[in-house]
Structures are given as C-alpha cells and as structure tokens.
Amino acid sequence: MKKRIITVSREFGSGGRTIGKMLAERLNLKYYDKELVKRISLETGFDPKYIEEHGEYAQSRSIFSYIFGAQSHPEVMKGMTPADFLWCMQRDIILDIAEKEACVIVGRCADYILRDREDCLNVFIHAPKDKRAERIVKLYGESDVAPEKRLDDKDARRRVNYRHFTGREWGVAQNYHLALDSGALGIEGCVDLIAAAFQCEE
Amino acid sequence: MKKRIITVSREFGSGGRTIGKMLAERLNLKYYDKELVKRISLETGFDPKYIEEHGEYAQSRSIFSYIFGAQSHPEVMKGMTPADFLWCMQRDIILDIAEKEACVIVGRCADYILRDREDCLNVFIHAPKDKRAERIVKLYGESDVAPEKRLDDKDARRRVNYRHFTGREWGVAQNYHLALDSGALGIEGCVDLIAAAFQCEE
C-alpha cells in the first residue's frame, strides 16, 4: 500500500528530529514536532512547556501528585493523572492528523498510536553513545551534567514513558518497519534510505 | 568507510536467508550460509548436521550432557561443552573469513563476532508472525506442529543462544546498523535498501 505517513522515534542525540525534518521537506509532507505541541496546547489548554516535558518523558512522581493530583477527584478524573489525560488527548490528535494529512510525526509514541494504519512507515533512529554525546554538545552546548549522563537520563525517561503507555519495549526492532544507525549511515544516508522505503509499494 | 561485509541476522521465516543470497548475487559477494557449515565441519570434525543444530540454537541440556559431556574431562576441556567449543571454532573461522573475503554471512552471531570491524554492515530482518507463518508453510510444508509454534520455538532457541554467547539481547535495534520488516517492505525492497546502505560511504 502507498505510504502517506512517517513516524520517527529516536534516541536522544541521534539526529532523528533533523532526519524527520529533512524527510518532510524532501517528500513534501507536513512536519509535526513543535507544531504538534502547539496544536495539543490549543486543543487541551496545557502549557506548551508542560506538553514538551510530559508528552514523551516519564516523570518521577512525587507524593504530592498522589495527594493533590488526580486521585483527589476520582469521580471526575476516573483515576487519571494529568499525564494520562494528556496522553489520551495527544493520541486523539495524532489519530486525527493521520486521518487528514500526509505527514512526518516525530516522537510521542506515534508509531504505536498509528500501528494499525497500513499507510504508515514507522522508523527508529539510534546511534552509538559517543557519536550522540558529540552531537548534543555541538547542538545544545556543554552543561554541568556529563553528556553521557544526559543521554542516559533522557532515553531512560522516554523508555519508561513508552512502556507505560504502550506496554511495549522501546527500541525493539520488531516495533518498527525500519531501524537505522545514523552514526554508521549518516544523517543524509538515513534520509535517502527512509525516502526509498517510503516510496516502495509493497 | 567502504563496506565489504554484510551480516544478516533474521527471525525464522522472515526471508533473511533469501535476502542474504540475493544481496550476495547483486553485490558480487561470497555467500556464507551452508558454505560456512561445510567449512566449520572440515576444520573442526563436527558433523554438518550437528553444526546446523548447535551453531545457532540453544539446546535443552539433558542430564546426560552433564554426565558424559565436557564436565567429565574438566582438565582437558576447561569446563567447555561441545557447543561452547563449536562456538569458539566458529568464531575464529568467521573472523578469518572477514579478514580475507568480501562476503555476506547469514546468522551465527556474526554481527556480534564482527562488531569491531568498520567495514561490516549488520542487518536484522523480521516480519509479523502471520506473514512468517505463511512463508514457512509455503517453503517447508505443513507439519504436526502449528506454524506459529514452530516460529516461537525456533526464535526462542536463537534468542537464548545469542544471549548466552554474546551477553546481548537478540533483535534489539541498537545492535544492528539496519533492521527491516520484510513483511512491510518486501523481500526485493529489503534487498534494495540494504544494497543502498552497503554502498553509501559514511
């Protein structure tokens, strides 16, 4: 079936976001990353910063979230936390976008949310840790925290978030049509391969 | 760096072997699958059938293997089982082949054995269970055991064998430069993409 949508899941620092953007330009597809955050914010009322932080990353739950969070109004929230509620809204928006537009969606478990669509190509981008560390220092600069630790923290939170909402393991090859090592294949090389896979009709 | 070698790891029934063979023909590389079994047999004295069974698949160890196996001559075998010994010989032969020849090697943890070579492209092929079941019935015919069970058994034994000898998890995207769903991309589609990745110089 002809593909219309590409979802890009990625390890932090692997260049997945850049690859997604380049694919959208090359294939003339709408690109959803910050755009998705904006739309979710408009439709839900959540602050864009909250969405960026909670839409993809597991939080360490403090005791306050149990005392003052969703659990204090079980009859209204049906036991949902704000993060659960955000997930449901985000899922509905992604399903709606996929129905209406040919696009590239970066992150936010879109591979899982759109798993039943045959017009969707699910991609995972990863790279060896040394290359990712080099990339994040180049892009975001140095910080007090060692780049390897920043990578581990961010990926661990993505992994936990993915497992929590999908029941699947993040980064397992079988969850994606195509998984690529951008360290070995290069950013341009990944774009070429994904574009070729997108255009091949099986 | 220019690539010389392709290793193909694969789920049972995903068409990985066929893809490996087609790649070798298209890229004019030597193909190692049954050839590797023959060479291991010649150099080790193990029967080809034993190598096929034990070179990639974990065995359920019977009590007899502990009584009559390697453990009964610990001073000579250094506590190795025949399967451990076969693994070491197989590893040395794969390292030797990689040093001398541009080739495609199917299975046998070659991705792990050759992980330090920069001229090696490591590929993993998988497919949804229904497509693999259909494929094995078409290729190997029906049997008393349901195709889904045959797939589960074979993959579980490959997984255990891989974990035992490499300490890594089989099928995790990060272990491969390229992981492809042959059910979604087609056998020809996979060959095209791998050949393109092989030829791209990063």
Side-chain angles (χ1 to χ4, degrees):
Chain A
M1 189 188 206
K2 183 119 188 68
K3 299 282 186 282
R4 286 174 56 248
I5 299 158
I6 301 174
T7 71
V8 181
S9 309
R10 75 290 182 214
E11 284 186 335
F12 183 52
S14 67
R17 179 175 281 180
T18 307
I19 291 169
K21 201 158 202 159
M22 287 167 72
L23 278 167
E25 276 164 25
R26 182 175 313 176
L27 299 167
N28 202 22
L29 302 168
K30 174 102 179 142
Y31 176 69
Y32 278 106
D33 180 13
K34 301 272 174 199
E35 273 305 310
L36 192 58
V37 172
K38 259 191 235 162
R39 174 146 172 200
I40 294 166
S41 174
L42 271 176
E43 295 197 21
T44 63
F46 280 110
D47 184 85
K49 272 192 195 147
Y50 182 91
I51 297 165
E52 287 213 34
E53 261 302 293
H54 294 70
E56 269 194 292
Y57 299 103
Q59 302 302 309
S60 52
R61 268 189 206 184
S62 74
I63 189 162
F64 296 106
S65 71
Y66 287 100
I67 298 171
F68 300 111
Q71 299 304 322
S72 57
H73 306 286
E75 69 292 351
V76 181
M77 302 287 285
K78 298 184 192 302
M80 282 172 123
T81 64
D84 293 338
F85 182 72
L86 173 60
W87 160 264
C88 293
M89 294 297 290
Q90 185 167 281
R91 185 195 58 200
D92 289 352
I93 292 170
I94 289 173
L95 287 168
D96 181 59
I97 287 172
E99 199 53 43
K100 293 181 183 154
E101 275 179 307
C103 60
V104 176
I105 305 176
V106 175
R108 296 173 190 281
C109 309
D111 59 298
Y112 174 79
I113 293 167
L114 303 178
R115 68 196 178 283
D116 293 330
R117 293 195 70 101
E118 293 203 357
D119 58 357
C120 186
L121 182 75
N122 296 318
V123 176
F124 183 74
I125 308 291
H126 57 93
K129 205 180 263 184
D130 56 337
K131 301 218 174 182
R132 293 191 290 130
E134 202 183 297
R135 188 176 167 86
I136 63 165
V137 169
K138 211 162 127 188
L139 281 180
Y140 309 116
E142 300 273 4
S143 88
D144 292 343
V145 185
E148 288 75 9
K149 176 135 182 40
R150 287 156 72 191
L151 294 173
D152 287 345
D153 287 351
K154 208 115 175 175
D155 284 343
R157 288 170 57 207
R158 279 186 189 162
R159 184 175 299 112
V160 170
N161 183 71
Y162 190 82
R163 192 189 292 135
H164 176 73
F165 285 112
T166 71
R168 305 200 301 195
E169 284 301 315
W170 188 69
V172 165
Q174 285 88 341
N175 294 342
Y176 310 95
H177 299 123
L178 201 56
L180 303 170
D181 177 343
S182 62
L185 302 165
I187 299 286
E188 281 278 355
C190 287
V191 173
D192 290 344
L193 290 170
I194 300 166
F198 183 78
Q199 280 156 336
C200 104
E201 273 187 64
E202 175 63 19
Chain B
M1 185 186 207
K2 181 120 188 74
K3 298 284 186 282
R4 287 174 56 246
I5 299 158
I6 301 173
T7 71
V8 181
S9 309
R10 74 289 181 216
E11 284 187 337
F12 184 52
S14 66
R17 179 174 280 180
T18 307
I19 290 169
K21 203 161 202 157
M22 288 166 73
L23 279 167
E25 276 166 25
R26 182 176 313 177
L27 300 167
N28 201 24
L29 302 169
K30 175 102 178 141
Y31 176 69
Y32 279 105
D33 179 14
K34 299 273 175 202
E35 273 305 310
L36 190 60
V37 173
K38 258 192 233 162
R39 177 150 167 199
I40 295 166
S41 174
L42 270 175
E43 295 195 21
T44 63
F46 280 110
D47 185 87
K49 272 192 193 147
Y50 182 88
I51 297 166
E52 289 213 31
E53 262 301 292
H54 293 70
E56 278 200 281
Y57 299 104
Q59 303 301 306
S60 51
R61 269 189 205 181
S62 74
I63 190 162
F64 297 108
S65 71
Y66 287 99
I67 300 172
F68 302 111
Q71 300 302 325
S72 56
H73 307 287
E75 69 291 353
V76 182
M77 302 288 281
K78 300 185 192 299
M80 283 173 119
T81 63
D84 294 338
F85 183 72
L86 173 59
W87 160 264
C88 293
M89 295 296 289
Q90 187 168 280
R91 185 196 56 201
D92 289 352
I93 292 170
I94 289 173
L95 287 168
D96 181 60
I97 287 172
E99 200 52 43
K100 293 180 183 154
E101 277 179 306
C103 60
V104 175
I105 304 176
V106 175
R108 293 171 194 283
C109 310
D111 59 298
Y112 174 79
I113 293 167
L114 303 176
R115 68 194 177 284
D116 292 329
R117 292 195 70 101
E118 292 203 356
D119 58 356
C120 187
L121 183 76
N122 296 320
V123 175
F124 182 73
I125 308 291
H126 58 93
K129 203 179 261 183
D130 56 336
K131 299 219 176 177
R132 294 191 289 130
E134 201 183 299
R135 187 175 167 88
I136 64 165
V137 168
K138 211 162 130 186
L139 280 180
Y140 310 116
E142 298 273 6
S143 88
D144 293 342
V145 184
E148 287 77 8
K149 176 139 180 37
R150 287 156 72 191
L151 294 174
D152 286 345
D153 287 350
K154 210 115 174 173
D155 284 342
R157 288 171 57 208
R158 279 186 190 163
R159 184 173 299 114
V160 171
N161 182 72
Y162 190 81
R163 190 187 296 137
H164 177 72
F165 286 111
T166 72
R168 305 202 298 196
E169 284 300 313
W170 188 70
V172 165
Q174 285 87 341
N175 295 341
Y176 311 94
H177 300 123
L178 202 56
L180 303 169
D181 177 343
S182 63
L185 302 166
I187 299 286
E188 282 278 354
C190 287
V191 173
D192 291 344
L193 291 169
I194 300 166
F198 183 77
Q199 282 156 336
C200 103
E201 273 187 64
E202 176 62 20

